[in-house]
PDB file of all heavy atoms in Angstrom:
ATOM      1  N   ASP A1248      97.663  65.471 113.858  1.00 95.00           N
ATOM      2  CA  ASP A1248      97.061  65.407 112.513  1.00 95.00           C
ATOM      3  C   ASP A1248      97.920  64.682 111.479  1.00 95.00           C
ATOM      4  O   ASP A1248      98.001  65.092 110.317  1.00 95.00           O
ATOM      5  CB  ASP A1248      96.766  66.830 112.001  1.00 95.00           C
ATOM      6  CG  ASP A1248      95.723  67.539 112.845  1.00 95.00           C
ATOM      7  OD1 ASP A1248      94.899  66.833 113.464  1.00 95.00           O
ATOM      8  OD2 ASP A1248      95.745  68.783 112.882  1.00 95.00           O
ATOM      9  N   LYS A1251      95.732  63.430 108.499  1.00 94.00           N
ATOM     10  CA  LYS A1251      94.822  64.357 107.803  1.00 94.00           C
ATOM     11  C   LYS A1251      95.119  64.348 106.296  1.00 94.00           C
ATOM     12  O   LYS A1251      96.287  64.378 105.889  1.00 94.00           O
ATOM     13  CB  LYS A1251      95.014  65.758 108.371  1.00 94.00           C
ATOM     14  CG  LYS A1251      93.925  66.714 107.991  1.00 94.00           C
ATOM     15  CD  LYS A1251      93.733  67.757 109.091  1.00 94.00           C
ATOM     16  CE  LYS A1251      92.555  68.631 108.735  1.00 94.00           C
ATOM     17  NZ  LYS A1251      91.996  69.317 109.871  1.00 94.00           N
ATOM     18  N   GLY A1267      98.811  63.430 106.083  1.00 92.00           N
ATOM     19  CA  GLY A1267      99.607  64.549 106.585  1.00 92.00           C
ATOM     20  C   GLY A1267      99.477  65.764 105.687  1.00 92.00           C
ATOM     21  O   GLY A1267      99.689  66.888 106.112  1.00 92.00           O
ATOM     22  N   ASP A1268      99.166  65.536 104.414  1.00 94.00           N
ATOM     23  CA  ASP A1268      98.885  66.590 103.441  1.00 94.00           C
ATOM     24  C   ASP A1268      99.965  67.673 103.322  1.00 94.00           C
ATOM     25  O   ASP A1268      99.669  68.857 103.157  1.00 94.00           O
ATOM     26  CB  ASP A1268      97.524  67.242 103.743  1.00 94.00           C
ATOM     27  CG  ASP A1268      96.947  67.912 102.488  1.00 94.00           C
ATOM     28  OD1 ASP A1268      97.347  67.523 101.377  1.00 94.00           O
ATOM     29  OD2 ASP A1268      96.125  68.827 102.645  1.00 94.00           O
ATOM     30  N   VAL A1270     102.406  68.820 105.432  1.00 98.00           N
ATOM     31  CA  VAL A1270     102.973  69.605 106.533  1.00 98.00           C
ATOM     32  C   VAL A1270     102.946  68.746 107.800  1.00 98.00           C
ATOM     33  O   VAL A1270     101.970  68.057 108.069  1.00 98.00           O
ATOM     34  CB  VAL A1270     102.226  70.957 106.740  1.00 98.00           C
ATOM     35  CG1 VAL A1270     100.757  70.770 107.089  1.00 98.00           C
ATOM     36  CG2 VAL A1270     102.918  71.833 107.770  1.00 98.00           C
ATOM     37  N   THR A1272     103.067  68.811 111.809  1.00 98.00           N
ATOM     38  CA  THR A1272     102.796  69.814 112.845  1.00 98.00           C
ATOM     39  C   THR A1272     102.814  69.179 114.238  1.00 98.00           C
ATOM     40  O   THR A1272     102.533  67.988 114.384  1.00 98.00           O
ATOM     41  CB  THR A1272     101.411  70.456 112.641  1.00 98.00           C
ATOM     42  OG1 THR A1272     100.418  69.423 112.682  1.00 98.00           O
ATOM     43  CG2 THR A1272     101.306  71.182 111.315  1.00 98.00           C
ATOM     44  N   PHE A1285     105.656  73.831 112.859  1.00 98.00           N
ATOM     45  CA  PHE A1285     105.138  73.185 111.650  1.00 98.00           C
ATOM     46  C   PHE A1285     106.252  73.168 110.614  1.00 98.00           C
ATOM     47  O   PHE A1285     107.050  74.091 110.523  1.00 98.00           O
ATOM     48  CB  PHE A1285     103.861  73.847 111.105  1.00 98.00           C
ATOM     49  CG  PHE A1285     103.998  75.294 110.726  1.00 98.00           C
ATOM     50  CD1 PHE A1285     104.356  75.659 109.439  1.00 98.00           C
ATOM     51  CD2 PHE A1285     103.751  76.292 111.652  1.00 98.00           C
ATOM     52  CE1 PHE A1285     104.464  76.997 109.078  1.00 98.00           C
ATOM     53  CE2 PHE A1285     103.855  77.638 111.302  1.00 98.00           C
ATOM     54  CZ  PHE A1285     104.216  77.994 110.016  1.00 98.00           C
ATOM     55  N   LYS A1287     107.021  72.229 106.623  1.00 98.00           N
ATOM     56  CA  LYS A1287     106.441  71.952 105.301  1.00 98.00           C
ATOM     57  C   LYS A1287     107.189  70.801 104.621  1.00 98.00           C
ATOM     58  O   LYS A1287     108.422  70.782 104.623  1.00 98.00           O
ATOM     59  CB  LYS A1287     106.568  73.198 104.426  1.00 98.00           C
ATOM     60  CG  LYS A1287     105.862  74.405 104.998  1.00 98.00           C
ATOM     61  CD  LYS A1287     104.469  74.415 104.473  1.00 98.00           C
ATOM     62  CE  LYS A1287     103.806  75.737 104.730  1.00 98.00           C
ATOM     63  NZ  LYS A1287     102.670  75.914 103.832  1.00 98.00           N
ATOM     64  N   SER A1295     102.803  72.517  99.042  1.00 95.00           N
ATOM     65  CA  SER A1295     101.807  73.580  98.808  1.00 95.00           C
ATOM     66  C   SER A1295     100.650  73.468  99.804  1.00 95.00           C
ATOM     67  O   SER A1295     100.382  72.406 100.366  1.00 95.00           O
ATOM     68  CB  SER A1295     101.288  73.503  97.368  1.00 95.00           C
ATOM     69  OG  SER A1295     100.716  72.232  97.133  1.00 95.00           O
ATOM     70  N   LEU A1296      99.991  74.601  99.986  1.00 96.00           N
ATOM     71  CA  LEU A1296      98.989  74.714 101.049  1.00 96.00           C
ATOM     72  C   LEU A1296      97.572  74.487 100.519  1.00 96.00           C
ATOM     73  O   LEU A1296      97.098  75.226  99.658  1.00 96.00           O
ATOM     74  CB  LEU A1296      99.093  76.092 101.701  1.00 96.00           C
ATOM     75  CG  LEU A1296      98.106  76.386 102.834  1.00 96.00           C
ATOM     76  CD1 LEU A1296      98.821  77.055 103.996  1.00 96.00           C
ATOM     77  CD2 LEU A1296      96.966  77.271 102.332  1.00 96.00           C
ATOM     78  N   SER A1297      96.930  73.449 101.029  1.00 96.00           N
ATOM     79  CA  SER A1297      95.524  73.172 100.713  1.00 96.00           C
ATOM     80  C   SER A1297      94.675  73.683 101.875  1.00 96.00           C
ATOM     81  O   SER A1297      95.211  74.150 102.887  1.00 96.00           O
ATOM     82  CB  SER A1297      95.331  71.667 100.581  1.00 96.00           C
ATOM     83  OG  SER A1297      95.510  71.078 101.865  1.00 96.00           O
ATOM     84  N   GLU A1298      93.370  73.516 101.738  1.00 95.00           N
ATOM     85  CA  GLU A1298      92.478  73.921 102.825  1.00 95.00           C
ATOM     86  C   GLU A1298      92.809  73.147 104.117  1.00 95.00           C
ATOM     87  O   GLU A1298      92.918  73.730 105.198  1.00 95.00           O
ATOM     88  CB  GLU A1298      91.037  73.631 102.397  1.00 95.00           C
ATOM     89  CG  GLU A1298      90.003  74.100 103.375  1.00 95.00           C
ATOM     90  CD  GLU A1298      88.600  73.648 102.979  1.00 95.00           C
ATOM     91  OE1 GLU A1298      88.475  72.798 102.076  1.00 95.00           O
ATOM     92  OE2 GLU A1298      87.640  74.140 103.578  1.00 95.00           O
ATOM     93  N   THR A1299      93.011  71.815 103.981  1.00 96.00           N
ATOM     94  CA  THR A1299      93.265  71.007 105.184  1.00 96.00           C
ATOM     95  C   THR A1299      94.685  71.225 105.736  1.00 96.00           C
ATOM     96  O   THR A1299      94.891  71.229 106.947  1.00 96.00           O
ATOM     97  CB  THR A1299      93.053  69.512 104.885  1.00 96.00           C
ATOM     98  OG1 THR A1299      93.683  69.202 103.650  1.00 96.00           O
ATOM     99  CG2 THR A1299      91.589  69.175 104.806  1.00 96.00           C
ATOM    100  N   HIS A1300      95.638  71.427 104.835  1.00 97.00           N
ATOM    101  CA  HIS A1300      97.013  71.758 105.230  1.00 97.00           C
ATOM    102  C   HIS A1300      96.972  73.052 106.069  1.00 97.00           C
ATOM    103  O   HIS A1300      97.590  73.144 107.137  1.00 97.00           O
ATOM    104  CB  HIS A1300      97.821  71.932 103.934  1.00 97.00           C
ATOM    105  CG  HIS A1300      99.225  72.375 104.050  1.00 97.00           C
ATOM    106  ND1 HIS A1300     100.270  71.671 103.476  1.00 97.00           N
ATOM    107  CD2 HIS A1300      99.795  73.469 104.595  1.00 97.00           C
ATOM    108  CE1 HIS A1300     101.401  72.318 103.672  1.00 97.00           C
ATOM    109  NE2 HIS A1300     101.142  73.410 104.359  1.00 97.00           N
ATOM    110  N   ALA A1301      96.192  74.020 105.616  1.00 97.00           N
ATOM    111  CA  ALA A1301      96.059  75.287 106.362  1.00 97.00           C
ATOM    112  C   ALA A1301      95.450  75.027 107.734  1.00 97.00           C
ATOM    113  O   ALA A1301      95.908  75.599 108.737  1.00 97.00           O
ATOM    114  CB  ALA A1301      95.198  76.267 105.574  1.00 97.00           C
ATOM    115  N   GLN A1302      94.464  74.142 107.785  1.00 98.00           N
ATOM    116  CA  GLN A1302      93.816  73.861 109.084  1.00 98.00           C
ATOM    117  C   GLN A1302      94.817  73.291 110.084  1.00 98.00           C
ATOM    118  O   GLN A1302      94.760  73.576 111.279  1.00 98.00           O
ATOM    119  CB  GLN A1302      92.658  72.888 108.891  1.00 98.00           C
ATOM    120  CG  GLN A1302      91.433  73.548 108.277  1.00 98.00           C
ATOM    121  CD  GLN A1302      90.413  72.537 107.764  1.00 98.00           C
ATOM    122  OE1 GLN A1302      90.660  71.323 107.781  1.00 98.00           O
ATOM    123  NE2 GLN A1302      89.283  73.032 107.286  1.00 98.00           N
ATOM    124  N   LYS A1303      95.748  72.474 109.578  1.00 98.00           N
ATOM    125  CA  LYS A1303      96.765  71.914 110.478  1.00 98.00           C
ATOM    126  C   LYS A1303      97.631  73.030 111.065  1.00 98.00           C
ATOM    127  O   LYS A1303      97.943  73.033 112.253  1.00 98.00           O
ATOM    128  CB  LYS A1303      97.659  70.907 109.725  1.00 98.00           C
ATOM    129  CG  LYS A1303      96.982  69.592 109.420  1.00 98.00           C
ATOM    130  CD  LYS A1303      97.939  68.601 108.770  1.00 98.00           C
ATOM    131  CE  LYS A1303      99.035  68.126 109.690  1.00 98.00           C
ATOM    132  NZ  LYS A1303      99.840  67.039 109.076  1.00 98.00           N
ATOM    133  N   ILE A1304      98.021  73.966 110.197  1.00 98.00           N
ATOM    134  CA  ILE A1304      98.872  75.068 110.681  1.00 98.00           C
ATOM    135  C   ILE A1304      98.078  75.945 111.652  1.00 98.00           C
ATOM    136  O   ILE A1304      98.578  76.341 112.711  1.00 98.00           O
ATOM    137  CB  ILE A1304      99.422  75.892 109.495  1.00 98.00           C
ATOM    138  CG1 ILE A1304     100.339  75.017 108.646  1.00 98.00           C
ATOM    139  CG2 ILE A1304     100.160  77.146 109.989  1.00 98.00           C
ATOM    140  CD1 ILE A1304     100.840  75.672 107.387  1.00 98.00           C
ATOM    141  N   MET A1305      96.815  76.214 111.302  1.00 98.00           N
ATOM    142  CA  MET A1305      95.991  77.068 112.154  1.00 98.00           C
ATOM    143  C   MET A1305      95.819  76.453 113.550  1.00 98.00           C
ATOM    144  O   MET A1305      95.833  77.160 114.556  1.00 98.00           O
ATOM    145  CB  MET A1305      94.612  77.265 111.510  1.00 98.00           C
ATOM    146  CG  MET A1305      94.644  78.295 110.400  1.00 98.00           C
ATOM    147  SD  MET A1305      93.490  77.942 109.045  1.00 98.00           S
ATOM    148  CE  MET A1305      91.973  77.706 109.865  1.00 98.00           C
ATOM    149  N   LYS A1306      95.684  75.132 113.592  1.00 98.00           N
ATOM    150  CA  LYS A1306      95.521  74.474 114.897  1.00 98.00           C
ATOM    151  C   LYS A1306      96.748  74.752 115.780  1.00 98.00           C
ATOM    152  O   LYS A1306      96.633  75.085 116.959  1.00 98.00           O
ATOM    153  CB  LYS A1306      95.345  72.949 114.704  1.00 98.00           C
ATOM    154  CG  LYS A1306      95.076  72.212 115.995  1.00 98.00           C
ATOM    155  CD  LYS A1306      95.135  70.703 115.831  1.00 98.00           C
ATOM    156  CE  LYS A1306      93.815  70.097 115.420  1.00 98.00           C
ATOM    157  NZ  LYS A1306      93.854  68.608 115.446  1.00 98.00           N
ATOM    158  N   ILE A1307      97.924  74.642 115.159  1.00 98.00           N
ATOM    159  CA  ILE A1307      99.179  74.886 115.898  1.00 98.00           C
ATOM    160  C   ILE A1307      99.285  76.357 116.310  1.00 98.00           C
ATOM    161  O   ILE A1307      99.694  76.682 117.428  1.00 98.00           O
ATOM    162  CB  ILE A1307     100.375  74.489 114.994  1.00 98.00           C
ATOM    163  CG1 ILE A1307     100.389  72.991 114.776  1.00 98.00           C
ATOM    164  CG2 ILE A1307     101.710  74.960 115.551  1.00 98.00           C
ATOM    165  CD1 ILE A1307     100.561  72.217 116.045  1.00 98.00           C
ATOM    166  N   GLN A1308      98.896  77.236 115.393  1.00 98.00           N
ATOM    167  CA  GLN A1308      98.951  78.674 115.714  1.00 98.00           C
ATOM    168  C   GLN A1308      98.023  78.990 116.894  1.00 98.00           C
ATOM    169  O   GLN A1308      98.401  79.725 117.808  1.00 98.00           O
ATOM    170  CB  GLN A1308      98.531  79.513 114.496  1.00 98.00           C
ATOM    171  CG  GLN A1308      99.545  79.525 113.361  1.00 98.00           C
ATOM    172  CD  GLN A1308      99.051  80.378 112.200  1.00 98.00           C
ATOM    173  OE1 GLN A1308      97.990  80.117 111.626  1.00 98.00           O
ATOM    174  NE2 GLN A1308      99.816  81.391 111.844  1.00 98.00           N
ATOM    175  N   ASP A1309      96.806  78.416 116.850  1.00 98.00           N
ATOM    176  CA  ASP A1309      95.843  78.680 117.934  1.00 98.00           C
ATOM    177  C   ASP A1309      96.361  78.152 119.274  1.00 98.00           C
ATOM    178  O   ASP A1309      96.246  78.804 120.302  1.00 98.00           O
ATOM    179  CB  ASP A1309      94.487  78.027 117.619  1.00 98.00           C
ATOM    180  CG  ASP A1309      93.768  78.752 116.471  1.00 98.00           C
ATOM    181  OD1 ASP A1309      94.123  79.911 116.191  1.00 98.00           O
ATOM    182  OD2 ASP A1309      92.863  78.151 115.864  1.00 98.00           O
ATOM    183  N   ARG A1328      98.026  75.732  97.015  1.00 94.00           N
ATOM    184  CA  ARG A1328      97.927  74.570  96.130  1.00 94.00           C
ATOM    185  C   ARG A1328      97.026  74.929  94.955  1.00 94.00           C
ATOM    186  O   ARG A1328      95.835  75.232  95.135  1.00 94.00           O
ATOM    187  CB  ARG A1328      97.393  73.341  96.879  1.00 94.00           C
ATOM    188  CG  ARG A1328      97.545  72.090  96.002  1.00 94.00           C
ATOM    189  CD  ARG A1328      97.335  70.827  96.786  1.00 94.00           C
ATOM    190  NE  ARG A1328      98.240  70.732  97.922  1.00 94.00           N
ATOM    191  CZ  ARG A1328      98.049  69.914  98.957  1.00 94.00           C
ATOM    192  NH1 ARG A1328      96.987  69.136  98.997  1.00 94.00           N
ATOM    193  NH2 ARG A1328      98.914  69.878  99.946  1.00 94.00           N
ATOM    194  N   GLU A1331      93.492  73.688  94.286  1.00 91.00           N
ATOM    195  CA  GLU A1331      92.403  73.994  95.227  1.00 91.00           C
ATOM    196  C   GLU A1331      91.836  75.393  95.075  1.00 91.00           C
ATOM    197  O   GLU A1331      90.834  75.742  95.701  1.00 91.00           O
ATOM    198  CB  GLU A1331      92.875  73.782  96.678  1.00 91.00           C
ATOM    199  CG  GLU A1331      93.151  72.334  96.977  1.00 91.00           C
ATOM    200  CD  GLU A1331      92.767  71.926  98.385  1.00 91.00           C
ATOM    201  OE1 GLU A1331      92.235  72.742  99.147  1.00 91.00           O
ATOM    202  OE2 GLU A1331      93.013  70.745  98.698  1.00 91.00           O
ATOM    203  N   ALA A1334      89.954  77.889  97.845  1.00 93.00           N
ATOM    204  CA  ALA A1334      89.980  77.216  99.162  1.00 93.00           C
ATOM    205  C   ALA A1334      91.373  77.365  99.775  1.00 93.00           C
ATOM    206  O   ALA A1334      91.524  77.574 100.982  1.00 93.00           O
ATOM    207  CB  ALA A1334      89.622  75.747  99.011  1.00 93.00           C
ATOM    208  N   ALA A1335      92.397  77.279  98.925  1.00 94.00           N
ATOM    209  CA  ALA A1335      93.768  77.455  99.418  1.00 94.00           C
ATOM    210  C   ALA A1335      94.019  78.917  99.796  1.00 94.00           C
ATOM    211  O   ALA A1335      94.640  79.207 100.831  1.00 94.00           O
ATOM    212  CB  ALA A1335      94.766  77.002  98.353  1.00 94.00           C
ATOM    213  N   LEU A1336      93.515  79.826  98.973  1.00 96.00           N
ATOM    214  CA  LEU A1336      93.710  81.251  99.299  1.00 96.00           C
ATOM    215  C   LEU A1336      93.042  81.580 100.631  1.00 96.00           C
ATOM    216  O   LEU A1336      93.598  82.307 101.459  1.00 96.00           O
ATOM    217  CB  LEU A1336      93.116  82.135  98.194  1.00 96.00           C
ATOM    218  CG  LEU A1336      93.758  82.017  96.809  1.00 96.00           C
ATOM    219  CD1 LEU A1336      93.092  82.991  95.842  1.00 96.00           C
ATOM    220  CD2 LEU A1336      95.253  82.291  96.862  1.00 96.00           C
ATOM    221  N   GLY A1337      91.852  81.033 100.831  1.00 96.00           N
ATOM    222  CA  GLY A1337      91.150  81.251 102.099  1.00 96.00           C
ATOM    223  C   GLY A1337      91.964  80.706 103.261  1.00 96.00           C
ATOM    224  O   GLY A1337      92.068  81.338 104.321  1.00 96.00           O
ATOM    225  N   GLY A1338      92.588  79.554 103.046  1.00 96.00           N
ATOM    226  CA  GLY A1338      93.435  78.956 104.085  1.00 96.00           C
ATOM    227  C   GLY A1338      94.569  79.902 104.454  1.00 96.00           C
ATOM    228  O   GLY A1338      94.841  80.139 105.637  1.00 96.00           O
ATOM    229  N   TYR A1339      95.218  80.465 103.429  1.00 96.00           N
ATOM    230  CA  TYR A1339      96.311  81.409 103.723  1.00 96.00           C
ATOM    231  C   TYR A1339      95.811  82.609 104.498  1.00 96.00           C
ATOM    232  O   TYR A1339      96.444  83.065 105.457  1.00 96.00           O
ATOM    233  CB  TYR A1339      96.999  81.881 102.440  1.00 96.00           C
ATOM    234  CG  TYR A1339      98.219  81.055 102.141  1.00 96.00           C
ATOM    235  CD1 TYR A1339      98.392  80.457 100.909  1.00 96.00           C
ATOM    236  CD2 TYR A1339      99.194  80.873 103.109  1.00 96.00           C
ATOM    237  CE1 TYR A1339      99.502  79.685 100.645  1.00 96.00           C
ATOM    238  CE2 TYR A1339     100.304  80.092 102.863  1.00 96.00           C
ATOM    239  CZ  TYR A1339     100.451  79.502 101.627  1.00 96.00           C
ATOM    240  OH  TYR A1339     101.536  78.739 101.385  1.00 96.00           O
ATOM    241  N   GLY A1340      94.643  83.138 104.054  1.00 97.00           N
ATOM    242  CA  GLY A1340      94.102  84.314 104.741  1.00 97.00           C
ATOM    243  C   GLY A1340      93.970  84.052 106.233  1.00 97.00           C
ATOM    244  O   GLY A1340      94.312  84.900 107.063  1.00 97.00           O
ATOM    245  N   GLU A1341      93.535  82.853 106.569  1.00 97.00           N
ATOM    246  CA  GLU A1341      93.331  82.541 107.998  1.00 97.00           C
ATOM    247  C   GLU A1341      94.660  82.366 108.734  1.00 97.00           C
ATOM    248  O   GLU A1341      94.783  82.699 109.909  1.00 97.00           O
ATOM    249  CB  GLU A1341      92.467  81.283 108.123  1.00 97.00           C
ATOM    250  CG  GLU A1341      91.118  81.489 107.456  1.00 97.00           C
ATOM    251  CD  GLU A1341      89.967  80.899 108.238  1.00 97.00           C
ATOM    252  OE1 GLU A1341      90.142  80.606 109.431  1.00 97.00           O
ATOM    253  OE2 GLU A1341      88.901  80.740 107.633  1.00 97.00           O
ATOM    254  N   VAL A1342      95.650  81.833 108.014  1.00 97.00           N
ATOM    255  CA  VAL A1342      96.990  81.722 108.622  1.00 97.00           C
ATOM    256  C   VAL A1342      97.551  83.135 108.868  1.00 97.00           C
ATOM    257  O   VAL A1342      98.087  83.445 109.942  1.00 97.00           O
ATOM    258  CB  VAL A1342      97.939  80.905 107.714  1.00 97.00           C
ATOM    259  CG1 VAL A1342      99.381  80.998 108.194  1.00 97.00           C
ATOM    260  CG2 VAL A1342      97.490  79.447 107.651  1.00 97.00           C
ATOM    261  N   ARG A1345      96.080  84.837 111.866  1.00 98.00           N
ATOM    262  CA  ARG A1345      96.638  84.330 113.130  1.00 98.00           C
ATOM    263  C   ARG A1345      98.057  84.847 113.357  1.00 98.00           C
ATOM    264  O   ARG A1345      98.460  85.094 114.488  1.00 98.00           O
ATOM    265  CB  ARG A1345      96.592  82.801 113.141  1.00 98.00           C
ATOM    266  CG  ARG A1345      95.203  82.284 113.425  1.00 98.00           C
ATOM    267  CD  ARG A1345      95.036  80.823 113.065  1.00 98.00           C
ATOM    268  NE  ARG A1345      93.712  80.343 113.440  1.00 98.00           N
ATOM    269  CZ  ARG A1345      92.590  80.588 112.754  1.00 98.00           C
ATOM    270  NH1 ARG A1345      92.646  81.314 111.628  1.00 98.00           N
ATOM    271  NH2 ARG A1345      91.437  80.146 113.162  1.00 98.00           N
TER     272      ARG A1345
END
Side-chain angles (χ1 to χ4, degrees):
D1248 296 334
K1251 194 150 185 159
D1268 203 22
V1270 61
T1272 59
F1285 60 91
K1287 300 270 193 160
S1295 58
L1296 180 136
S1297 68
E1298 185 186 12
T1299 45
H1300 175 126
Q1302 284 166 355
K1303 287 184 68 173
I1304 296 175
M1305 281 147 52
K1306 184 190 272 188
I1307 292 298
Q1308 289 180 301
D1309 289 341
R1328 190 167 303 162
E1331 293 216 3
L1336 296 182
Y1339 265 127
E1341 301 221 17
V1342 169
R1345 283 164 176 78

